[in-house]
Amino acid sequence: MAALEVADLSFRYGAKEALKGVSFRVQPGEFCALLGPNGAGKSTLFALLTRLFVARQGRISVMGRDLQADPRAALAQMGVVFQQSTLDLDLSVARNLAYFGALHGLSRREAQLRAGEVLERLDMAERAREKTRALNGGHRRRLEIARALMHRPRLLLLDEPTVGLDARARAAITAHVHDLARSDGIAVLWATHLVDEVAPEDTVLILHRGQILETGRAARIAGDRGLATHFMALTEEIA
Ligand code: ADP
């Protein structure tokens, strides 16, 4: 069963068609990079996947649960890291996680245990008691990823999670999330316009002007000229 299945999804803002018949699947353990220039439709797709918007056409299912018919079950399988941070900076790292755990129905004890696990997983165990405001940008992002894992989702969505971070923090976060896919079998959908965040064995979905132009293994799509050149050429041809 696919962790995420999107079938024939379309969406318009008034007369503006933002997504046109988008279909793809992400399997458990797969790191799927959703690559698209600004305006491609990445945020619109994320808004539909997280039910911020409701699609009039098309179908979305998460671990076999239809998002429209059974939103609670579908969303329970999904962890999300939005582009804009939603951490409470005045709370400690552990408290941010505990609140989110409570939101998902975890008991205080469960939430405490799980917070320890997810912080360990993101190499942040020693920061549990720190004020979130004291964390640098990279660690704040890692905390958001840890938080998105609190309820053990099988699908992790990240909308341009490295925006504003320096090279070292970007590399650390990219590596952590690749490892979550490979070692923990989590399906990852990672939206970006930065080709260097994609590993050769990742799946790439190239989205442009609301349509999927190409999909497949990054190494195959990159061919001899490399993913960056290919991506630019492809999105410029159809500009
Ligand atoms: P991306 O996240 O890839 O940059 P978006 O999903 O934000 O792309 O936008 C896709 C298209 O929809 C763009 O052409 C954008 O201008 C348009 N769009 C986005 N939000 C709105 C809106 N609220 N009203 C009208 N058009 C919008």
Side-chain angles (χ1 to χ4, degrees):
M1 186 205 310
L4 173 65
E5 184 166 5
V6 172
D8 198 24
L9 192 66
S10 296
F11 188 81
R12 49 172 70 240
Y13 297 98
K16 168 82 197 171
E17 230 182 343
L19 290 178
K20 304 171 204 168
V22 167
S23 301
F24 63 92
R25 287 181 182 170
V26 186
Q27 301 296 340
E30 186 174 5
F31 185 107
C32 181
L34 175 68
L35 210 52
N38 286 334
K42 303 184 296 298
S43 298
T44 304
L45 177 60
F46 269 68
L48 292 167
L49 293 175
T50 54
R51 273 194 118 231
L52 226 51
F53 301 156
V54 175
R56 289 212 199 95
Q57 191 204 307
R59 212 172 53 80
I60 297 167
S61 60
V62 184
M63 299 299 291
R65 316 290 172 88
D66 189 281
L67 187 62
Q68 184 102 30
D70 198 358
R72 194 184 291 246
L75 291 170
Q77 303 287 338
M78 191 189 287
V80 188
V81 178
F82 290 103
Q83 220 176 91
Q84 300 293 332
S85 170
T86 56
L87 295 170
D88 189 326
L89 298 181
D90 293 322
L91 297 182
S92 70
V93 165
R95 260 288 144 87
N96 263 295
L97 295 175
Y99 275 146
F100 192 80
L103 209 65
H104 278 273
L106 271 62
S107 71
R108 186 188 280 243
R109 179 85 192 117
E110 276 175 311
Q112 236 173 23
L113 284 172
R114 185 65 185 148
E117 285 171 8
V118 293
L119 285 177
E120 188 77 47
R121 195 69 189 76
L122 273 295
D123 272 343
M124 284 187 61
E126 73 289 357
R127 300 193 181 268
R129 297 191 183 287
E130 282 184 28
K131 264 265 171 75
T132 302
R133 194 179 294 285
L135 301 180
N136 66 27
H139 283 116
R140 288 184 192 182
R141 276 279 132 161
R142 261 146 79 174
L143 172 55
E144 286 194 281
I145 295 168
R147 188 180 61 174
L149 297 173
M150 278 294 283
H151 59 299
R152 302 178 192 277
R154 302 312 300 153
L155 170 69
L156 187 60
L157 306 179
L158 306 103
D159 189 5
E160 308 214 21
T162 61
V163 165
L165 300 182
D166 65 28
R168 186 190 291 259
R170 273 182 59 205
I173 284 174
T174 311
H176 271 297
V177 176
H178 274 94
D179 192 54
L180 286 170
R182 269 173 223 144
S183 306
D184 300 10
I186 295 176
V188 173
L189 184 66
W190 172 286
T192 188
H193 59 273
L194 301 169
V195 170
D196 64 348
E197 293 177 352
V198 182
E201 61 276 23
D202 293 343
T203 302
V204 169
L205 285 174
I206 298 184
L207 185 70
H208 184 47
R209 297 188 156 204
Q211 285 181 297
I212 304 262
L213 293 188
E214 198 166 9
T215 174
R217 291 262 286 206
R220 182 186 64 74
I221 286 183
D224 293 336
R225 58 181 179 170
L227 192 57
T229 311
H230 180 72
F231 174 58
M232 277 195 292
L234 194 65
T235 49
E236 266 163 23
E237 272 164 28
I238 314 176

